[in-house]
Amino acid sequence: MNVQTLVLIKPDGLKKSLTGNILTRLSETKLEIVAAKISRVSRQLAEAHYMHMKDKPFFEDLIKYICGELHQRHKVMAMVYWGEDAINKVRALAGATNPEEADSVSIRGAYGRITTKGVYENVIHASRDREEAEREIKLWFSPDEVIVDLYPTKTVELKQLQKKVWA
Ligand code: IDP
Ligand code: MG
């Protein structure tokens, strides 16, 4: 069954020039990329993305990490992978959350580290299940940024909309 999953290359992955390596690893899955962009991560977006972590002692460091403050890279690469069993295939390639426990040939095992402050810098995010994927994809992408229809949409009429266009 075709499903979709959100993948983020986190700021450490971008700073370490791992984009190519990570995309190559993910291409082993033969899944299709149906959305991709480089995104700034506001504190609001970070907190919404990690809302299930807000009671953790490392929450503040986690927000700083995903916002790029630990790496002077204020961006992530966000993608939606789509295809047969996409969530499990990407999670398997990503490896365990703790990069020291992750299989050494997994993305996190190969490229992740734990900082002396205890932050798991694990270079990639991947949705855990279908429910989380839906919430995250809707958070990071609007329907017109995704080339397939993943979820129901509606058309709304916006008055006095201001939009930046090329001058
Ligand atoms: P996941 O990214 O494998 O789905 P989650 O439990 O959703 O793992 O945690 C989100 C992120 O929070 C992780 O990717 C990692 O960066 C960070 N994190 C999770 N657990 C810990 C921890 O025990 N110490 C430090 N950072 C953690
Ligand atoms: Mg998670």
Side-chain angles (χ1 to χ4, degrees):
M1 180 180 191
N2 286 344
V3 293
Q4 50 275 6
T5 186
L6 180 83
V7 174
L8 302 176
I9 301 180
K10 297 180 178 182
D12 52 328
L14 295 179
K15 183 164 184 178
K16 293 173 176 171
S17 294
L18 292 172
T19 309
N21 306 54
I22 292 169
L23 294 182
T24 300
R25 293 301 310 278
L26 290 173
S27 69
E28 290 169 21
T29 61
K30 305 271 192 288
L31 298 167
E32 196 179 329
I33 300 173
V34 294
K37 64 180 175 184
I38 299 290
S39 232
R40 295 270 181 231
V41 186
S42 66
R43 188 168 175 109
Q44 189 188 10
L45 176 57
E47 285 185 1
H49 179 76
Y50 281 131
M51 67 180 200
H52 61 294
M53 310 297 284
K54 63 176 179 296
D55 296 328
K56 303 281 185 194
F58 54 83
F59 182 69
E60 189 56 36
D61 284 332
L62 180 59
I63 297 301
K64 281 192 191 145
Y65 167 35
I66 198 71
C67 287
E69 283 172 40
L70 305 184
H71 298 90
Q72 300 77 47
R73 287 288 188 287
H74 295 103
K75 58 190 175 185
V76 299
M77 185 164 177
M79 291 163 290
V80 178
Y81 277 79
W82 179 75
E84 180 71 30
D85 201 21
I87 293 173
N88 295 327
K89 282 179 180 162
V90 174
R91 287 286 287 196
L93 267 184
T97 305
N98 179 336
E100 279 183 8
E101 286 172 4
D103 191 322
S104 53
V105 298
S106 69
I107 294 168
R108 287 166 163 181
Y111 302 123
R113 66 166 191 162
I114 302 178
T115 67
T116 47
K117 281 187 77 184
V119 181
Y120 291 2
E121 290 186 1
N122 53 14
V123 304
I124 186 176
H125 166 82
S127 310
R128 185 190 53 225
D129 54 34
R130 291 179 65 175
E131 199 181 23
E132 187 174 273
E134 177 170 356
R135 193 186 76 78
E136 293 176 348
I137 290 167
K138 288 179 175 176
L139 185 64
W140 286 85
F141 288 95
S142 60
D144 58 7
E145 292 176 311
V146 184
I147 62 162
V148 290
D149 291 330
L150 299 177
Y151 307 109
T153 57
K154 61 182 178 183
T155 303
V156 292
E157 223 158 288
L158 299 171
K159 294 208 165 69
Q160 293 177 324
L161 175 73
Q162 291 209 332
K163 191 176 178 210
K164 196 189 275 186
V165 295
W166 303 117

